[in-house]
Amino acid sequence: MFRNQYDTDVTTWSPAGRLFQVEYAMEAVKQGSAAIGLRSKTHVVLASVNKANSELSSHQKKIFKVDDHIGVAIAGLTADGRVLSRYMRSECINYSYSYESKLPVGRLVVQLADKAQVCTQRSWKRPYGVGLLVGGLDESGAHLYYNCPSGNYFEYQAFAMGSRSQAAKTYMERKFETFTESSRENLIKDALFALRETLQGEKLTSSICTVAVVGVDESFHILDKETVQALINEFEIAGEEAPANEAAPQDQGGDAQAGAADQGPTDQGVAPMDI
Amino acid sequence: MIVDSSSPAPAKKSLLLSSEADLQRTQTPYVTGTSVIAIKYKDGILIAADMGGSYGSTLRYKNVERIRPVGKHSLIGASGEISDFQEILRYLDELILNDSMWDDGNSLGPKEVHNYLTRVMYNRRNKFNPLWNSLILGGVKNGQKYLGTVNMIGVHYEDNHVATGFGNHLARPILREEWNENLTFEEGVKLLEKCMRVLLYRDRSAVNKLQIAKITDEGFTISQPYSLKTQWKFKAFENPTVGAEGSW
């Protein structure tokens, strides 16, 4: 972004009323590889793109099981994400120990947000450089939350973060009204489609993505590679040569929209925390 | 710093050995409540307890409310040391307060409260400083009925009918025979009154002034205090000294 004299530490306001360190932390989230989440009334699906640095290395873990009823996908500084996942696991298990029941997702998310806020108001700390998509189920239904480094959190029907996430958002914005009543299979299918959008023409295979599901009678778990590949094949989402056109999937009619071009963020210049 | 050499250094007692430390630990109960009994019935939970607070063998206090609401979904009944019960009510008040301060539509149900109490009771027992109570926790949340008990050593379990103190010996056998899961409110009250009557006859610390509380998905009610009818005109009680003149 812009180098200026008010961005050295997080406890310095700019004259325009911004905390640049927090905004830079949110940039780090945008640089991470894409992760998306969507929810129906009964299920939440999280999916992420896992690119390995080289053919020789394994890819980074971006989706973590927090408890039987909660999972989280991260984008940004994965080390920060790992630490926060450990915190979330700890909170869940402590709650279970005291109350013999599942920590409501909304409460976990507030605790996470308050933890992130602390780092925006201490001169000896820095904000966490990771965005968290928290998906889970509790008594009040299925929930999907996005926690950002600023300490804000929002609930979503569907969300995407990381690089080229705008493409996935565009796809989901068209379809989100169908998600609430969607079946588990269709929800996963939509997740894979949305993930494909972020790849900009590259072939979607199960080796470069991770998909996880949690549902009413289904503990949070990551789907194994064979299952994911079978789903990709079944929905014929594998690949396209030209990024400009969208191949017409079976049940979508007349989508003539040119595909995955990243739209410039329309809210550039506005402090992201205000969104 | 000038040290006054004329005054002797005070004799220091080791805190670990002194009686001050022991006064903080294992207690004996002073003012105690006797049995509490509770059953699940068709619409929810029924709990009965008398209003007595005994001071040793003296039936000293006769207006002690031993059944109280906890949050929106639960009732707690306690026997044992009344002051410890009052302390527990303060812990529960703080627990429920913090729960509602989240202001998020979630609330602690009877299972959660029961488990929290179990942790409290067990932790105190491990420090050799128990809360001298046997507690019954019953409630309904989202149509699910819950009834559990926990005592001063941390023993806890759930069941369709539970009792504390003498109720374990006198009431539970009756409940085992006569409880079924489709009891109406009237049938449930009758069953509990039958158990309370036995306790009244046979438990020396029972008083004839009781309350029966009910909790359902709609809410709770705790009855006004009332008494049971008792029957003492048994032949065996008449002229008790007829075979042993001079005795009483």
Side-chain angles (χ1 to χ4, degrees), chain A residues 203-232:
Chain A
K203 192 167 152 121
L204 176 68
T205 67
S206 63
S207 57
I208 57 163
C209 71
T210 308
V211 182
V213 188
V214 62
V216 166
D217 289 313
E218 197 180 343
S219 284
F220 183 90
H221 65 285
I222 296 176
L223 303 178
D224 61 78
K225 297 290 172 200
E226 293 75 34
T227 315
V228 178
Q229 191 58 53
L231 286 164
I232 292 175

Side-chain angles (χ1 to χ4, degrees), chain B residues 4-11:
Chain B
D4 185 354
S5 54
S6 59
S7 60

Side-chain angles (χ1 to χ4, degrees), chain A:
Chain A
M1 249 148 87
F2 345 93
R3 272 249 81 193
N4 53 53
Q5 52 180 156
Y6 304 108
D7 67 356
T8 319
D9 67 62
V10 77
T11 52
T12 304
W13 288 97
S14 81
R18 296 157 75 157
L19 290 171
F20 281 111
Q21 279 298 305
V22 177
E23 295 181 24
Y24 296 165
M26 281 149 70
E27 274 304 304
V29 176
K30 294 183 199 164
Q31 303 301 334
S33 59
I36 63 151
L38 349 65
R39 81 172 151 115
S40 71
K41 210 155 50 176
T42 53
H43 289 81
V44 184
V45 177
L46 297 173
S48 68
V49 169
N50 283 78
K51 293 266 190 66
N53 278 339
S54 79
E55 295 241 326
L56 300 169
S57 79
S58 65
H59 26 224
Q60 284 198 310
K61 195 161 158 179
K62 283 166 54 85
I63 299 188
F64 299 89
K65 175 169 174 167
V66 166
D67 201 344
D68 284 337
H69 67 299
I70 302 183
V72 62
I74 63 173
L77 265 56
T78 41
D80 283 2
R82 219 176 41 241
V83 160
L84 287 176
S85 302
R86 188 161 54 235
Y87 169 74
M88 293 164 78
R89 286 171 176 167
S90 175
E91 290 300 301
C92 280
I93 209 166
N94 286 339
Y95 188 90
S96 282
Y97 176 73
S98 296
Y99 303 107
E100 188 73 34
S101 78
K102 301 194 264 207
L103 177 58
V105 191
R107 292 196 181 181
L108 176 62
V109 159
V110 173
Q111 285 173 261
L112 251 183
D114 289 347
K115 194 171 161 70
Q117 190 278 340
V118 169
C119 299
T120 67
Q121 212 176 7
R122 305 278 184 270
S123 60
W124 62 91
K125 285 183 182 259
R126 64 158 177 83
Y128 288 105
V130 65
L132 301 131
L133 264 178
V134 182
L137 253 82
D138 58 29
E139 259 179 20
S140 50
H143 299 278
L144 176 68
Y145 291 93
Y146 171 59
N147 278 63
C148 74
S150 61
N152 281 331
Y153 68 97
F154 305 93
E155 184 158 13
Y156 285 95
Q157 187 76 45
F159 191 75
M161 55 181 187
S163 61
R164 293 195 283 267
S165 58
Q166 187 54 49
K169 277 189 192 158
T170 312
Y171 172 82
M172 294 194 290
E173 269 164 24
R174 276 204 314 273
K175 297 212 69 197
F176 77 94
E177 268 146 349
T178 65
F179 290 166
T180 310
E181 299 298 329
S182 197
S183 72
R184 178 185 180 275
E185 279 59 43
N186 280 336
L187 207 64
I188 301 178
K189 167 178 137 188
D190 279 321
L192 287 166
F193 266 108
L195 209 59
R196 203 256 317 259
E197 296 298 306
T198 69
L199 292 171
Q200 298 235 273
E202 207 187 313
K203 192 167 152 121
L204 176 68
T205 67
S206 63
S207 57
I208 57 163
C209 71
T210 308
V211 182
V213 188
V214 62
V216 166
D217 289 313
E218 197 180 343
S219 284
F220 183 90
H221 65 285
I222 296 176
L223 303 178
D224 61 78
K225 297 290 172 200
E226 293 75 34
T227 315
V228 178
Q229 191 58 53
L231 286 164
I232 292 175
N233 297 336
E234 190 185 319
F235 302 135
E236 290 172 1
I237 333 176
E240 271 145 21
E241 320 74 36
N245 297 327
E246 226 174 66
Q250 304 89 308
D251 59 348
Q252 283 178 46
D255 284 333
Q257 179 160 351
D262 262 14
Q263 300 165 15
T266 51
D267 39 28
Q268 193 159 45
V270 175
M273 300 168 281
D274 295 341
I275 302 164

Side-chain angles (χ1 to χ4, degrees), chain B residues 146-214:
Chain B
Y146 185 89
L147 182 59
T149 181
V150 59
N151 68 11
M152 64 189 262
I153 53 174
V155 172
H156 61 285
Y157 51 90
E158 313 163 41
D159 207 345
N160 294 319
H161 43 81
V162 291
T164 68
F166 260 83
N168 273 308
H169 301 107
L170 299 175
R172 283 176 80 199
I174 302 175
L175 297 171
R176 280 185 207 123
E177 278 301 295
E178 304 194 14
W179 182 88
N180 68 74
E181 60 180 31
N182 296 316
L183 291 169
T184 65
F185 173 71
E186 289 75 24
E187 289 170 343
V189 170
K190 259 186 75 180
L191 182 55
L192 285 180
E193 284 184 348
K194 180 172 182 178
C195 296
M196 292 299 283
R197 184 171 285 109
V198 173
L199 286 167
L200 182 57
Y201 283 132
R202 294 295 176 177
D203 179 5
R204 74 155 189 193
S205 28
V207 299
N208 195 1
K209 185 178 176 193
L210 69 144
Q211 290 178 304
I212 296 199
K214 145 174 101 100

